Amino acid sequence: MATKGWKSQQPRQLKKIAYALTEGKLKSVIKAHEERGWEQASEFKKHGYGLGCLMIFASER
C-alpha cells in the first residue's frame, strides 16, 4: 500500500449513528458512548421512528 497522498496524511475517523426511540434514551446512549471515547458530532435529528445523531471516534495511527 502506498504511504503517499492526501489520505495517508489524514487522521482516521470512525463514524456511526447512535439512535433511540425517545430523546431521554438517546441521551443515555450518547453518554455511554462518550464514556468509551466517542464524541457527539451533530444535533439530534429524526431517524426512522425515533431520533439519532452522528458520533465520531478519532483513532490514533
Side-chain angles (χ1 to χ4, degrees):
M1 182 159 51
T3 59
K4 296 181 181 178
W6 69 270
K7 200 168 190 177
S8 65
Q9 298 168 1
Q10 300 295 321
R12 283 187 79 176
Q13 260 189 359
L14 298 174
K15 298 175 186 175
K16 73 186 315 184
I17 304 258
Y19 59 92
L21 294 178
T22 64
E23 187 174 341
K25 183 62 178 174
L26 181 57
K27 287 180 182 179
S28 67
V29 169
I30 291 171
K31 182 179 176 186
H33 277 77
E34 287 176 340
E35 290 173 357
R36 290 178 266 156
W38 289 84
E39 296 177 16
Q40 183 177 349
S42 74
E43 299 295 320
F44 295 172
K45 297 179 183 172
K46 191 173 181 181
H47 183 74
Y49 289 107
L51 300 168
C53 73
L54 179 67
M55 303 291 291
I56 293 178
F57 187 87
S59 63
E60 308 267 337
R61 280 196 178 189

